[in-house]
Amino acid sequence: MRVHRLRIEAFGPFPGIVDLDVDALSAEGLFLIHGPTGSGKTSLLDAICFALYADVPGARSKKGLRSDHSPGDAVPRVTLELTVGGRRLRLTRSPGFDRPKKRGTGVTPVQASVSLEERLGSAWVVRSTRNDEVADLVKDVMGMGMAQFSSVVMLPQGDFATFLRASPDDRRAMLERLFDITEYRDIEDWLAQARRAAAVDLERAGTVLDGTIARVEDVLADAGLAAPAPVPESLADLPPESVSEQLALLLVALDARVSTTMATYDEAVGAEQLAGDLLDRGRVLAALRSRGELARQELAEVRVAGAEHEARVQTVAAAERAAGAQGHLSACSRNTSDLEVAREQVCSTQASLGALSVDVPADDQVAATVRALHDRDETVLALRQGAEAATARAVHVARLEARATALELEEHEGAVRLEQAEQVRQGLQAEVESLAADAAGVAERTLRLDAARDDVARLEVADTALAAVAALIPERDALRTIALDRRQDLLDLRQRRLDGMAGELARSLAAGEPCPVCGSAEHPEPARTAGPVGPEDLSEAEVRLEMAEQAHRALHDAVEAHRHRSETLRTTLHCTDRAVLAAAVLEAERSLVTARAAEAGHRVATGALAAQAEEVASIRRRRATVSALCESNSEQRALLGAEHVAATSHIEGLRARHASCPCGAGTPDAHTAVGGLLRELESRIEGLIAARRRSAEADDDLRAALDDAGFDDADHARALTLSPEVLARERDLVTAHRDRLAAARAVASDPGVRAALGGRAPDLAALGEAAQNAREQLLTARTAQDDAERTRRSLVRLLPLVAEHSATVVAAAVRDARVREVADTTGGIGVDNTLRMRLTSFVLAARLEKVASLANERLAVMGGGRFQLEHSDDLAARGARSGLGLRVLDQWTGRTRDTATLSGGESFMASLALALGLADAVREEAGGIDLGTLFVDEGFGTLDDDSLEQVVTVLDGLREGGRAVGVVSHVADLRARVTHQAVVTKGASGSTVEVRCGAGAEPAA
């Protein structure tokens, strides 16, 4: 993998755009990223991780990646171009953030986005814009996750210093993040699960066997059987073989019991059948005797009621004959009533005609009178329509006269309103023209006010910057003095260190023995020193010097930034007199207020003028409409006058034709009423004639029916008539008497009844008791047989289950023991696992041993061959897990010691070597992916000059094969050694990045 370009926008501490051409920066293979603490050096590496994995490593959070220094509408974005696996890719990713709402207050969340492009030929082709698809593709081409990437490509020295001194458990956690041991962890989990499953299976098999044995004991207890000796209190206490033998013996005993109960049951069945037959025959005989006695009693009662039965038969016959003439009697009565009603209706209609003062015609003249009145119906209709039309014309004339008066009044008022509205419109027109000139200058005066205010603001910022310069200069000078003092202290300590080394050499000299430096056996003037100075003292002095120089540089940069800002702002101002600028702002504000007032007045007057012009036009349109309505009203009144004269002449002719009408020449309503009564009288006379005819016919039919039924007159027939309900009841009584007599005679003549009445009555109580006793004995025998057979079937069914479950328990116990032994061993708790190492720990120990071997190749160069890292699997104290120990072999002394005993510089070199070794090991495990770009983050400040030279030599060696190595550090000596640099500068408005190559690189301070 090789990084070509990194572009950042509104990301982390960078408010603007940072565009790093990594190819140009890494032209020499080794490049430096430096800047003050907190300037954003690590944020550049975070941007690379975010572009690839949508996350940042370490304790940092991907929330809040958007720069706080950028404008509210700026979109945070990272674009990364790289080559991996022979493919040129470009990732553009934006995190989720909140932007201000375009309308109103508050913020609106913006979702994260991503785009993955691939270079094909000379064009970029979009591969995906979905987060899940991009994540899968990145993982496929990179061959590692973010944890591995941040440890292989970006070597975080601080993390590996922790790894160097970590406990075995903490070291295990870090190694698990870097190396994929999923398969081995799955094996551990599978074995642990298998151990739990085997224990569960054994427990389940034992539970099933115990349950089956309990079911056998329940069956034996229900059957009242005792197990043959020697048997303990519970079959569960026996081995499986003994339980099966005991169950076989019990099965033989149950077979004998079943045979005995079957014989007893057969005897009880025969006895029960005999007793039942005797009881059934006794019951039949008793029933026949009871039927015979009841029949004799019934015949006696029927004979007593014979006379009453005959009388009822005669009454029913007479009523049936009278019922045949009942229809004629009803028809005669109904026709007589209809005749009386018809007479009354004719008289009532004649009385109504007399009340209208109309001559009532005779019955035979009614039809002719109706025809004469009908001939004049059209004349009467025309008279009614003429009267209605005259009334409508009168109403219309009155409405037109009232409307004419209203229109004349409206026309006069319209003339007055038109004159007034025209005067108002002319006044508004003059006002609009007077305000137009002042209203047109609002935009120009607004720009003038903004420019004046900007001048005042720039002057204030320039003054503030100058005040800050004045306030910071004393502090900067003091920090410079402190830095010079600490540099002198460091030089003094180095000199004392050299003197101390000479003193140590002098103390080791002995008379007559050669000096290890010059080889002389004489030592005339051995060096003396007041006190030794160790490497730790030098490291502390260097740290104090670096801190002082950083503070001085930061304050110096702040002073220069304030001074440059003040000078730049003042050059943009035409005048630096604050009073003149303030007066210009005041004058611009007053001018703008006047223009805005004129603009508002012009807007209001223009609206009012448009409204008034519309009002004038509306009044004029209404006046034209009123004039047209007046002319139309006059024409309608003239037409109505002519229609009235013609209609009056026509009505007089109609009245002359109606004078001879039978209604008496009354009004049209009177004509209609008389006509209705005459037609009603004609209809009712016809009804009266028909009623007389029907009454005569009914009388003739009644006389014929009475003669056929044998009645003297109608009253005789009515006297013998019964109601339908009474007649039906009497008929039912006659039928019931006949049926009762026939049934009694049939029973009395039955041969079986006669024989039963001639013999002795049976003793049913004794027969029933005997049958009940036999039935109870049968049920008892049946229950005993069923219990014996059920017990035998249960035992036959349970015997193979007991044998099967016993075999299952034995097999489960064997498997549980084997699985538990293997699982305990791989889990680090087995008795044979003396080091208490889990399988995954064993695998990680092999990885750690490989890492130590790879790290020692680099440590041999950086440490001058003194130190080697060793993997240790010594048994831990107090039963703790072992296998992931790490120690240091000091080849000067030949002894191993704890990593915590290394000095600051030694720890840095060991940690860096360990980080490089881990990177090589992870890269090998990831399939040997080619890493064209590496980053080493911080940690060089603890090295002396010689150690720094050795570390840089190792870093130079990493460039083999065209690899680019980026070093992230603020150590001053590296600025002179590494010519290609990315300089990160921080300020109050955010951080910026400047690329310096070759001679343009910053020299050491």
Side-chain angles (χ1 to χ4, degrees), residues 902-957:
L902 294 175
S903 66
E906 293 168 347
S907 295
F908 168 73
M909 290 187 292
S911 300
L912 179 58
L914 189 60
L916 294 173
L918 274 166
D920 292 339
V922 173
R923 183 168 62 254
E924 290 179 6
E925 180 144 327
I929 183 172
D930 182 22
L931 298 181
T933 305
L934 290 178
F935 295 92
V936 181
D937 190 0
E938 291 294 348
F940 298 92
T942 59
L943 301 177
D944 55 27
D945 293 341
D946 294 337
S947 298
L948 181 60
E949 184 65 32
Q950 293 168 348
V951 169
V952 172
T953 300
V954 172
L955 294 178
D956 283 336

Side-chain angles (χ1 to χ4, degrees), residues 172 176 181 184-185 188 838-845:
R172 171 191 175 88
E176 285 181 350
I181 58 170
Y184 304 100
R185 186 184 298 108
E188 284 186 4
R838 295 169 56 180
L839 176 62
T840 51
S841 297
F842 180 79
V843 174
L844 291 176

Side-chain angles (χ1 to χ4, degrees), residues 499-541:
D499 295 342
M501 294 175 64
E504 292 176 3
L505 180 60
R507 285 192 296 271
S508 65
L509 296 176
E513 295 183 0
C515 174
V517 178
C518 64
S520 174
E522 297 180 359
H523 316 295
E525 295 181 0
R528 293 180 175 83
T529 180
V533 175
E536 295 82 0
D537 298 329
L538 291 176
S539 297
E540 292 177 0

Side-chain angles (χ1 to χ4, degrees), residues 491-504 527 529 533 538:
L491 294 175
D492 294 343
L493 286 175
R494 286 178 177 173
Q495 185 61 43
R496 290 176 57 192
R497 170 66 172 166
L498 295 175
D499 295 342
M501 294 175 64
E504 292 176 3
T529 180
V533 175
L538 291 176

Side-chain angles (χ1 to χ4, degrees), residues 323-661:
Q326 187 63 36
H328 297 285
L329 289 173
S330 299
C332 185
S333 298
R334 185 171 59 253
N335 288 326
T336 301
S337 176
D338 292 343
L339 181 59
E340 291 300 326
V341 170
R343 288 194 183 108
E344 292 177 358
Q345 289 177 347
V346 170
C347 293
S348 174
T349 304
Q350 290 174 346
S352 298
L353 284 172
L356 294 176
S357 301
V358 178
D359 295 336
V360 180
D363 293 348
D364 55 351
Q365 296 296 321
V366 171
T369 305
V370 169
R371 287 194 297 273
L373 187 138
H374 180 66
D375 292 341
R376 292 168 176 80
D377 284 347
E378 293 182 359
T379 302
V380 172
L381 177 61
L383 285 173
R384 178 180 285 111
Q385 292 176 348
E388 292 175 354
T391 302
R393 279 194 301 272
V395 172
H396 195 186
V397 168
R399 188 182 298 114
L400 290 174
E401 290 176 352
R403 188 177 184 187
T405 303
L407 289 173
E408 290 176 358
L409 178 60
E410 184 178 357
E411 185 176 11
H412 174 70
E413 293 177 350
V416 175
R417 288 177 57 204
L418 177 60
E419 183 179 0
Q420 294 175 349
E422 184 62 29
Q423 292 177 356
V424 173
R425 188 193 66 79
Q426 293 175 358
L428 290 173
Q429 181 67 36
E431 183 178 359
V432 168
E433 293 174 355
S434 65
L435 293 174
D438 291 337
V442 171
E444 179 183 357
R445 296 178 186 182
T446 301
L447 294 175
R448 191 183 305 162
L449 175 59
D450 292 341
R453 288 176 175 172
D454 289 343
D455 290 345
V456 173
R458 286 197 296 271
L459 182 60
E460 291 179 352
V461 172
D463 292 344
T464 302
L466 282 180
V469 169
L472 293 176
I473 285 177
E475 185 178 356
R476 182 197 63 181
D477 296 340
L479 289 176
R480 183 173 181 277
T481 302
I482 294 174
L484 293 175
D485 293 342
R486 291 185 177 177
R487 178 172 292 279
Q488 185 61 44
D489 293 341
L490 176 61
L491 294 175
D492 294 343
L493 286 175
R494 286 178 177 173
Q495 185 61 43
R496 290 176 57 192
R497 170 66 172 166
L498 295 175
D499 295 342
M501 294 175 64
E504 292 176 3
L505 180 60
R507 285 192 296 271
S508 65
L509 296 176
E513 295 183 0
C515 174
V517 178
C518 64
S520 174
E522 297 180 359
H523 316 295
E525 295 181 0
R528 293 180 175 83
T529 180
V533 175
E536 295 82 0
D537 298 329
L538 291 176
S539 297
E540 292 177 0
E542 289 172 351
V543 170
R544 288 195 299 271
L545 174 61
E546 178 65 22
M547 293 175 61
E549 290 179 343
Q550 286 182 356
H552 173 257
R553 283 196 301 271
L555 201 57
H556 177 75
D557 292 343
V559 169
E560 293 302 320
H562 286 308
R563 180 181 288 112
H564 177 71
R565 188 174 188 183
S566 176
E567 293 174 354
T568 301
L569 290 173
R570 288 180 179 275
T571 57
T572 61
L573 296 175
H574 301 293
C575 176
T576 57
D577 189 342
R578 186 180 299 274
V580 173
L581 294 177
V585 170
L586 182 60
E587 178 61 26
E589 290 176 345
R590 292 174 180 173
S591 177
L592 179 60
V593 169
T594 301
R596 285 178 175 171
E599 182 184 35
H602 181 267
R603 187 164 51 250
V604 173
T606 302
L609 176 60
Q612 189 62 29
E614 178 61 25
E615 178 69 16
V616 170
S618 175
I619 293 174
R620 287 176 176 170
R621 289 193 297 270
R622 181 58 186 171
R623 289 194 66 197
T625 302
V626 169
S627 298
L629 291 175
C630 287
E631 294 178 0
S632 175
N633 191 52
S634 299
E635 293 175 357
Q636 292 181 24
R637 288 169 64 188
L639 291 174
L640 288 175
E643 290 179 0
H644 178 69
V645 173
T648 301
S649 174
H650 179 65
I651 289 173
E652 291 299 328
L654 293 175
R655 287 175 179 172
R657 288 196 298 270
H658 185 246
S660 59
C661 182

